[in-house]
């Protein structure tokens, strides 16, 4: 297995420690939320859906799955992502990391940067 594949597997294991059958597409969405938050962008759910090439309903579902509001059967909620209202449009919800999400992101960043 190549070093890049090995580090991706280690990264996925971080998520799977919280949710055994963690879907890979959720990992991709988590990183997009982190980018939105850490780069101080104002992408809403619709913009993120467009960027990732998924329907808005799918993006909304991913937010729910990564939030404290939803949990797979037999698991605690992940509480990695939340949303806030846009200051420019009260209808627009902007996904962002929770404190726990930021900690997980930092762990993943260290793994994927080969610092762990």
């Amino acid at each position: 297995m190549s070093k890049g594949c090995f580090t991706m597997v280690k990264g996925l294991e971080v998520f799977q420690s919280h949710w055994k059958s963690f879907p890979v597409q959720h990992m991709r969405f988590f990183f997009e939320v982190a980018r939105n938050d850490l780069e101080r962008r104002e992408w809403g759910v619709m913009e993120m859906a467009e960027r990732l090439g998924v329907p808005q309903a799918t993006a909304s579902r991913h937010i729910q799955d990564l939030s404290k509001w939803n949990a797979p059967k037999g698991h605690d909620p992940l509480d990695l992502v939340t949303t806030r209202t846009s200051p420019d449009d009260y209808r627009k919800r902007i996904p962002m990391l929770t404190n726990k999400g930021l900690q997980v992101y930092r762990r993943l960043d260290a793994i994927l940067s080969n610092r762990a």
Side-chain angles (χ1 to χ4, degrees):
M1 183 181 295
S2 74
K3 189 174 183 178
C5 289
F6 182 71
T7 56
M8 285 302 294
V9 169
K10 284 178 63 178
L12 187 55
E13 287 172 353
V14 171
F15 285 109
Q16 289 177 329
S17 69
H18 299 283
W19 180 359
K20 183 87 173 137
S21 59
F22 190 85
V24 174
Q25 65 269 23
H26 284 55
M27 188 174 181
R28 181 176 172 225
F29 193 79
F30 174 81
F31 280 115
E32 196 67 15
V33 170
R35 179 179 179 199
N36 188 40
D37 192 13
L38 297 172
E39 293 179 359
R40 305 227 188 279
R41 300 187 183 267
E42 294 292 316
W43 296 328
V45 175
M46 189 172 357
E47 290 96 348
M48 292 186 110
E50 289 172 4
R51 288 183 55 74
L52 295 173
V54 299
Q56 185 176 354
T58 300
S60 294
R61 183 66 184 177
H62 289 344
I63 289 171
Q64 287 179 341
D65 289 345
L66 294 169
S67 75
K68 67 178 181 179
W69 306 111
N70 195 26
K73 189 174 182 177
H75 292 83
D76 292 330
L78 293 175
D79 192 24
L80 302 175
V81 172
T82 190
T83 61
R84 66 176 171 80
T85 305
S86 169
D88 301 325
D89 183 351
Y90 71 92
R91 297 168 297 175
K92 183 177 179 180
R93 303 296 299 168
I94 300 171
M96 55 190 276
L97 298 175
T98 62
N99 287 335
K100 181 179 175 184
L102 184 58
Q103 292 172 3
V104 168
Y105 171 79
R106 286 181 177 150
R107 257 178 80 195
L108 288 165
D109 186 47
I111 289 168
L112 296 174
S113 300
N114 295 313
R115 295 188 308 256

